[in-house]
Amino acid sequence: MYRGRNFLIQALVSAVPETWETIAGGRSVSMSINSETVDITSQQSAPWMTLLADAGIRNMSLSISGVFNDDDSMERAYERVISGSIDMYQIISDAGDTFTGNFQLTTVERSAEYNDAEQYSISLESSGEILYTPASS
């Protein structure tokens, strides 16, 4: 069984040597990979829709929520969303699959109940090609 707690979102902090940093302490992670379709249906193909292969826009969206591990994690998230920077991230599933590419941190939200830990929610959107590496068997 796959465990959500083992789903990691990491940011590249140093290229040489390659060093990745896990972003905050995620309790909930959601990932979606999208591919738009391009409809090229004509009178000849009707009544069936025909799609153009390899033509649509692709993107990957991520959201993570949980409790910040420390002040540094929160500060780095603020810096990234305010600057609008596009940074290298890797997403690792519990199965060991890895998605690597450039993402922009687009949202940082904070919330808190009266007598509970402060929560956060972060959203990321891909920019450019995503490299998928299946888990090694």
Side-chain angles (χ1 to χ4, degrees), residues 10-21 88 90 98 100:
Q10 299 181 322
L12 183 67
V13 292
S14 174
V16 179
E18 188 173 281
T19 307
W20 297 88
E21 170 187 63
M88 182 69 71
Q90 68 178 2
T98 304
T100 306

PDB file of all heavy atoms in Angstrom, residues 10-21 88 90 98 100:
ATOM      1  N   GLN A  10      10.438  18.236  -2.955  1.00  0.00           N
ATOM      2  CA  GLN A  10      11.733  18.792  -2.574  1.00  0.00           C
ATOM      3  C   GLN A  10      12.149  19.888  -3.541  1.00  0.00           C
ATOM      4  O   GLN A  10      11.868  19.803  -4.737  1.00  0.00           O
ATOM      5  CB  GLN A  10      12.792  17.695  -2.566  1.00  0.00           C
ATOM      6  CG  GLN A  10      12.501  16.594  -1.573  1.00  0.00           C
ATOM      7  CD  GLN A  10      13.566  15.526  -1.559  1.00  0.00           C
ATOM      8  OE1 GLN A  10      14.106  15.171  -2.599  1.00  0.00           O
ATOM      9  NE2 GLN A  10      13.872  15.004  -0.382  1.00  0.00           N
ATOM     10  N   ALA A  11      12.832  20.886  -3.015  1.00  0.00           N
ATOM     11  CA  ALA A  11      13.363  21.985  -3.827  1.00  0.00           C
ATOM     12  C   ALA A  11      14.877  21.854  -3.912  1.00  0.00           C
ATOM     13  O   ALA A  11      15.538  21.488  -2.937  1.00  0.00           O
ATOM     14  CB  ALA A  11      13.000  23.322  -3.199  1.00  0.00           C
ATOM     15  N   LEU A  12      15.413  22.149  -5.091  1.00  0.00           N
ATOM     16  CA  LEU A  12      16.869  22.131  -5.285  1.00  0.00           C
ATOM     17  C   LEU A  12      17.450  23.377  -4.626  1.00  0.00           C
ATOM     18  O   LEU A  12      17.056  24.499  -4.942  1.00  0.00           O
ATOM     19  CB  LEU A  12      17.199  22.119  -6.779  1.00  0.00           C
ATOM     20  CG  LEU A  12      18.685  22.021  -7.139  1.00  0.00           C
ATOM     21  CD1 LEU A  12      19.250  20.666  -6.726  1.00  0.00           C
ATOM     22  CD2 LEU A  12      18.872  22.224  -8.640  1.00  0.00           C
ATOM     23  N   VAL A  13      18.377  23.189  -3.701  1.00  0.00           N
ATOM     24  CA  VAL A  13      18.999  24.318  -3.020  1.00  0.00           C
ATOM     25  C   VAL A  13      20.443  24.516  -3.452  1.00  0.00           C
ATOM     26  O   VAL A  13      21.009  25.588  -3.258  1.00  0.00           O
ATOM     27  CB  VAL A  13      18.908  24.195  -1.475  1.00  0.00           C
ATOM     28  CG1 VAL A  13      17.470  24.339  -1.018  1.00  0.00           C
ATOM     29  CG2 VAL A  13      19.503  22.904  -0.967  1.00  0.00           C
ATOM     30  N   SER A  14      21.058  23.493  -4.054  1.00  0.00           N
ATOM     31  CA  SER A  14      22.426  23.601  -4.549  1.00  0.00           C
ATOM     32  C   SER A  14      22.614  22.609  -5.692  1.00  0.00           C
ATOM     33  O   SER A  14      22.283  21.435  -5.559  1.00  0.00           O
ATOM     34  CB  SER A  14      23.423  23.297  -3.427  1.00  0.00           C
ATOM     35  OG  SER A  14      24.745  23.262  -3.933  1.00  0.00           O
ATOM     36  N   ALA A  15      23.143  23.112  -6.819  1.00  0.00           N
ATOM     37  CA  ALA A  15      23.363  22.241  -7.975  1.00  0.00           C
ATOM     38  C   ALA A  15      24.650  21.430  -7.833  1.00  0.00           C
ATOM     39  O   ALA A  15      24.742  20.308  -8.309  1.00  0.00           O
ATOM     40  CB  ALA A  15      23.386  23.060  -9.255  1.00  0.00           C
ATOM     41  N   VAL A  16      25.684  22.023  -7.202  1.00  0.00           N
ATOM     42  CA  VAL A  16      26.960  21.323  -7.019  1.00  0.00           C
ATOM     43  C   VAL A  16      27.416  21.528  -5.578  1.00  0.00           C
ATOM     44  O   VAL A  16      27.748  22.654  -5.207  1.00  0.00           O
ATOM     45  CB  VAL A  16      28.040  21.865  -7.988  1.00  0.00           C
ATOM     46  CG1 VAL A  16      29.354  21.154  -7.781  1.00  0.00           C
ATOM     47  CG2 VAL A  16      27.573  21.736  -9.430  1.00  0.00           C
ATOM     48  N   PRO A  17      27.442  20.518  -4.757  1.00  0.00           N
ATOM     49  CA  PRO A  17      26.868  19.198  -5.021  1.00  0.00           C
ATOM     50  C   PRO A  17      25.349  19.295  -5.015  1.00  0.00           C
ATOM     51  O   PRO A  17      24.776  20.169  -4.361  1.00  0.00           O
ATOM     52  CB  PRO A  17      27.376  18.344  -3.865  1.00  0.00           C
ATOM     53  CG  PRO A  17      27.521  19.312  -2.734  1.00  0.00           C
ATOM     54  CD  PRO A  17      27.954  20.610  -3.381  1.00  0.00           C
ATOM     55  N   GLU A  18      24.694  18.380  -5.730  1.00  0.00           N
ATOM     56  CA  GLU A  18      23.236  18.412  -5.819  1.00  0.00           C
ATOM     57  C   GLU A  18      22.638  18.171  -4.440  1.00  0.00           C
ATOM     58  O   GLU A  18      22.853  17.133  -3.823  1.00  0.00           O
ATOM     59  CB  GLU A  18      22.756  17.346  -6.805  1.00  0.00           C
ATOM     60  CG  GLU A  18      21.275  17.455  -7.096  1.00  0.00           C
ATOM     61  CD  GLU A  18      20.836  16.514  -8.190  1.00  0.00           C
ATOM     62  OE1 GLU A  18      21.064  16.832  -9.377  1.00  0.00           O
ATOM     63  OE2 GLU A  18      20.283  15.458  -7.837  1.00  0.00           O
ATOM     64  N   THR A  19      21.889  19.177  -3.953  1.00  0.00           N
ATOM     65  CA  THR A  19      21.294  19.107  -2.625  1.00  0.00           C
ATOM     66  C   THR A  19      19.828  19.494  -2.718  1.00  0.00           C
ATOM     67  O   THR A  19      19.508  20.563  -3.240  1.00  0.00           O
ATOM     68  CB  THR A  19      22.016  20.070  -1.651  1.00  0.00           C
ATOM     69  OG1 THR A  19      23.419  19.804  -1.690  1.00  0.00           O
ATOM     70  CG2 THR A  19      21.505  19.908  -0.240  1.00  0.00           C
ATOM     71  N   TRP A  20      18.952  18.625  -2.211  1.00  0.00           N
ATOM     72  CA  TRP A  20      17.512  18.854  -2.225  1.00  0.00           C
ATOM     73  C   TRP A  20      17.025  19.051  -0.805  1.00  0.00           C
ATOM     74  O   TRP A  20      17.516  18.433   0.127  1.00  0.00           O
ATOM     75  CB  TRP A  20      16.776  17.669  -2.850  1.00  0.00           C
ATOM     76  CG  TRP A  20      17.128  17.438  -4.277  1.00  0.00           C
ATOM     77  CD1 TRP A  20      18.151  16.675  -4.759  1.00  0.00           C
ATOM     78  CD2 TRP A  20      16.487  17.992  -5.422  1.00  0.00           C
ATOM     79  NE1 TRP A  20      18.176  16.716  -6.127  1.00  0.00           N
ATOM     80  CE2 TRP A  20      17.157  17.516  -6.564  1.00  0.00           C
ATOM     81  CE3 TRP A  20      15.390  18.841  -5.599  1.00  0.00           C
ATOM     82  CZ2 TRP A  20      16.766  17.852  -7.856  1.00  0.00           C
ATOM     83  CZ3 TRP A  20      15.005  19.176  -6.883  1.00  0.00           C
ATOM     84  CH2 TRP A  20      15.689  18.696  -7.994  1.00  0.00           C
ATOM     85  N   GLU A  21      16.012  19.917  -0.643  1.00  0.00           N
ATOM     86  CA  GLU A  21      15.435  20.202   0.667  1.00  0.00           C
ATOM     87  C   GLU A  21      13.940  19.902   0.627  1.00  0.00           C
ATOM     88  O   GLU A  21      13.231  20.382  -0.255  1.00  0.00           O
ATOM     89  CB  GLU A  21      15.656  21.681   0.991  1.00  0.00           C
ATOM     90  CG  GLU A  21      14.917  22.181   2.195  1.00  0.00           C
ATOM     91  CD  GLU A  21      15.062  23.676   2.343  1.00  0.00           C
ATOM     92  OE1 GLU A  21      14.610  24.414   1.444  1.00  0.00           O
ATOM     93  OE2 GLU A  21      15.631  24.094   3.354  1.00  0.00           O
ATOM     94  N   MET A  88      13.763  24.665  -9.390  1.00  0.00           N
ATOM     95  CA  MET A  88      13.764  23.231  -9.676  1.00  0.00           C
ATOM     96  C   MET A  88      13.234  22.473  -8.464  1.00  0.00           C
ATOM     97  O   MET A  88      13.668  22.702  -7.338  1.00  0.00           O
ATOM     98  CB  MET A  88      15.187  22.771 -10.003  1.00  0.00           C
ATOM     99  CG  MET A  88      15.300  21.305 -10.352  1.00  0.00           C
ATOM    100  SD  MET A  88      14.554  20.864 -11.915  1.00  0.00           S
ATOM    101  CE  MET A  88      15.691  21.622 -13.050  1.00  0.00           C
ATOM    102  N   GLN A  90      11.643  18.388  -7.175  1.00  0.00           N
ATOM    103  CA  GLN A  90      11.405  16.989  -7.499  1.00  0.00           C
ATOM    104  C   GLN A  90      10.300  16.481  -6.580  1.00  0.00           C
ATOM    105  O   GLN A  90      10.224  16.850  -5.416  1.00  0.00           O
ATOM    106  CB  GLN A  90      12.659  16.142  -7.416  1.00  0.00           C
ATOM    107  CG  GLN A  90      13.257  15.929  -6.064  1.00  0.00           C
ATOM    108  CD  GLN A  90      14.486  15.026  -6.131  1.00  0.00           C
ATOM    109  OE1 GLN A  90      14.909  14.586  -7.189  1.00  0.00           O
ATOM    110  NE2 GLN A  90      15.068  14.753  -4.980  1.00  0.00           N
ATOM    111  N   THR A  98       9.668   9.427  -9.684  1.00  0.00           N
ATOM    112  CA  THR A  98      10.144  10.792  -9.479  1.00  0.00           C
ATOM    113  C   THR A  98       9.755  11.665 -10.661  1.00  0.00           C
ATOM    114  O   THR A  98       9.893  11.263 -11.816  1.00  0.00           O
ATOM    115  CB  THR A  98      11.676  10.819  -9.315  1.00  0.00           C
ATOM    116  OG1 THR A  98      12.042   9.957  -8.232  1.00  0.00           O
ATOM    117  CG2 THR A  98      12.178  12.212  -9.014  1.00  0.00           C
ATOM    118  N   THR A 100      10.656  15.518 -12.003  1.00  0.00           N
ATOM    119  CA  THR A 100      11.610  16.599 -11.776  1.00  0.00           C
ATOM    120  C   THR A 100      11.391  17.690 -12.816  1.00  0.00           C
ATOM    121  O   THR A 100      11.236  17.386 -14.006  1.00  0.00           O
ATOM    122  CB  THR A 100      13.058  16.078 -11.885  1.00  0.00           C
ATOM    123  OG1 THR A 100      13.219  14.965 -10.999  1.00  0.00           O
ATOM    124  CG2 THR A 100      14.061  17.158 -11.510  1.00  0.00           C
TER     125      THR A 100
END
